[in-house]
Amino acid sequence: FHTSALLSFTTLSITFLFSFNMSVDSITIRRPDDFHHHCRDGPSTASVLRHAVPRLTRCLMMPNLKPPVTTVEMALDYKKRILASMPANPTHNTFQPLMTLYLTDKTSPDEIRKATSMKNEDGITPTIIGCKYYPAGATTNSDFGVSDVKNLYPVLEVMQETGMMLCIHSEVTHADIFEREPVFIEEIMKPLVKDFPRLKITMEHISTQEAVDYVLSAPDNVKASITPQHLLYNRNHLLVGGIRPHLYCLPILKAEVHRQALVKAAISGNPKFFLGTDSAPHATHTKEAACGCAGVFSAHCAVEMYAQIFDQENALDKLEDFTSSFGADHYGLPRSTETITLERNPWTVPNTYEFGEYTVTPLKAGEKIHWKIVGLD
């Protein structure tokens, strides 16, 4: 029996078995990680964690608070506040917040060396696992961000040396809002990667065909996260027939050709793309305003929505790697040993959720989602 024939038979058998298993309308995967999460601060943090903790093993916590998390001490204090806000009876006890530093023109190399020396309680996971590069003025609470990437070069040298991840909001501020990501790639990313060939980089929440193409062509140290909203919606959903403020985010939703490119990348099985929700809650009244905030709250359903998207594309066999493997691998973390089970069981998203003393309007408010995590109400 020829070896190639055996391999073909094995592949055919696996494909058949997977197709058969999908007919039972459930799938079990490693518990996902979210490598881009806004946990907020104060009373609203507990409201956010109520949704995130049951679904996720780890969350990369964004540092754009007021004031921003610019030092190791501030990151440690923020972590303490997060842990103090954890649900009283969590569905699992292994959830870990992963902390980040907010880079400014004044960040010192010594601060990076200090950050790289710290580990979580498990003795394995770094306490501070990345540094966030916000171009000044590019998004929410980014006014203290970096005015010129060259100002960061001494810091980036140390990050490259120590293996610290650079997380990037990949947009310039001087271009048309729909072109800011492609311009950033040409003006910032390409020179940056050339100057720091060993620096680990995450292009966060990519939103364009150009970003997909660039990541595919870039060295292996450059990878990207993709949000559920950029997989689900294009700019027509945001603007046609009236402005829908709860779909307004940055990077802004783009044309349909870009959404399709992102879906193709997400379901491809390529380890360069992984889950990063950019779940970013704002109180409803601050979204429904004359000058509304940018951000989509998806912590309550992001994992379920990724499942729905992959299901629609007949790619559920690729879901686990996208949600639970490729991101952990990129950040040098062990893959989760816990699992969750999703079943095809439609449920309706509430119109609002509690958000500290206010309410937040969630992604898919009042709409049905076709996949549900077993054991979650």
Side-chain angles (χ1 to χ4, degrees):
F1 195 46
H2 199 274
T3 302
S4 61
L6 177 60
L7 288 172
S8 297
F9 176 77
T10 303
T11 301
L12 179 62
S13 299
I14 291 171
T15 302
F16 174 78
L17 286 171
F18 182 80
S19 299
F20 175 79
N21 286 339
M22 285 303 94
S23 68
V24 302
D25 293 335
S26 70
I27 181 171
T28 297
I29 62 173
R30 282 186 294 275
R31 190 184 299 278
D33 299 305
D34 184 358
F35 287 100
H36 189 134
H37 203 91
H38 293 271
C39 199
R40 302 310 188 207
D41 203 8
S44 58
T45 298
S47 303
V48 174
L49 292 173
R50 181 167 69 89
H51 301 283
V53 170
R55 293 170 169 83
L56 303 164
T57 297
R58 293 165 291 222
C59 281
L60 188 69
M61 301 302 187
M62 291 296 102
N64 56 333
L65 307 181
K66 291 184 177 181
V69 181
T70 56
T71 68
V72 169
E73 286 74 16
M74 294 176 78
L76 295 177
D77 286 344
Y78 184 33
K79 181 185 175 185
K80 289 178 182 177
R81 296 196 298 275
I82 292 171
L83 293 176
S85 301
M86 289 281 285
N89 297 297
T91 54
H92 66 112
N93 295 312
T94 57
F95 178 85
Q96 292 188 68
L98 306 175
M99 309 312 294
T100 58
L101 294 184
Y102 183 117
L103 295 175
T104 74
D105 291 336
K106 297 180 180 179
T107 302
S108 72
D110 286 344
E111 198 70 30
I112 304 304
R113 293 188 187 281
K114 185 177 180 181
T116 58
S117 67
M118 299 184 174
K119 302 291 184 184
N120 273 355
E121 292 76 7
D122 61 7
I124 299 172
T125 309
T127 301
I128 299 172
I129 201 167
C131 294
K132 184 64 180 274
Y133 167 22
Y134 292 102
T139 189
T140 304
N141 296 344
S142 63
D143 292 344
F144 296 97
V146 178
S147 63
D148 185 336
V149 69
K150 293 292 180 69
N151 295 336
L152 284 182
Y153 269 36
V155 166
L156 298 180
E157 289 280 5
V158 175
M159 290 178 64
Q160 178 173 251
E161 172 193 330
T162 59
M164 176 72 80
M165 184 71 69
L166 177 65
C167 306
I168 305 180
H169 182 110
S170 309
E171 292 188 295
V172 297
T173 57
H174 61 267
D176 179 271
I177 195 166
F178 293 107
E179 301 299 328
R180 290 180 174 186
E181 190 171 86
V183 173
F184 185 95
I185 291 169
E186 295 301 321
E187 294 186 358
I188 307 294
M189 276 302 300
K190 289 182 178 180
L192 179 66
V193 172
K194 182 179 179 181
D195 291 344
F196 297 94
R198 295 180 290 106
L199 179 63
K200 294 170 63 177
I201 297 174
T202 300
M203 289 183 68
E204 296 189 315
H205 47 50
I206 61 171
S207 62
T208 58
Q209 172 78 68
E210 290 89 343
V212 170
D213 292 343
Y214 174 71
V215 171
L216 288 172
S217 69
D220 285 344
N221 53 304
V222 179
K223 299 182 181 177
S225 63
I226 306 178
T227 76
Q229 61 265 27
H230 289 103
L231 294 175
L232 285 166
Y233 302 110
N234 63 44
R235 61 192 182 188
N236 284 351
H237 294 103
L238 171 66
L239 298 170
V240 172
I243 295 175
R244 293 168 180 81
H246 300 291
L247 291 182
Y248 172 54
C249 58
L250 292 172
I252 198 166
L253 299 174
K254 306 299 196 299
E256 176 63 10
V257 63
H258 300 293
R259 189 196 70 81
Q260 291 180 8
L262 294 168
V263 171
K264 183 178 178 181
I267 68 170
S268 67
N270 190 315
K272 287 209 158 200
F273 304 102
F274 55 88
L275 183 157
T277 67
D278 192 15
S279 178
H282 294 277
T284 297
H285 71 277
T286 65
K287 292 284 287 178
E288 298 174 0
C291 185
C293 300
V296 171
F297 177 57
S298 63
H300 64 292
C301 72
V303 173
E304 296 91 327
M305 285 310 311
Y306 285 119
Q308 186 164 310
I309 293 160
F310 278 63
D311 182 30
Q312 290 168 351
E313 299 295 327
N314 297 312
L316 278 173
D317 59 321
K318 304 293 198 304
L319 178 67
E320 181 178 63
D321 281 339
F322 177 83
T323 61
S324 316
S325 304
F326 295 154
D329 296 347
H330 182 47
Y331 279 83
L333 300 174
R335 296 179 178 183
S336 177
T337 57
E338 297 186 340
T339 61
I340 59 170
T341 297
L342 295 116
E343 61 182 4
R344 204 185 306 272
N345 182 8
W347 59 285
T348 300
V349 177
N351 289 323
T352 61
Y353 284 113
E354 174 192 348
F355 185 57
E357 59 185 303
Y358 302 108
T359 61
V360 60
T361 300
L363 181 67
K364 292 286 184 180
E367 299 181 43
K368 280 192 176 181
I369 294 177
H370 299 291
W371 285 85
K372 187 175 184 179
I373 297 175
V374 173
L376 293 189
D377 295 330

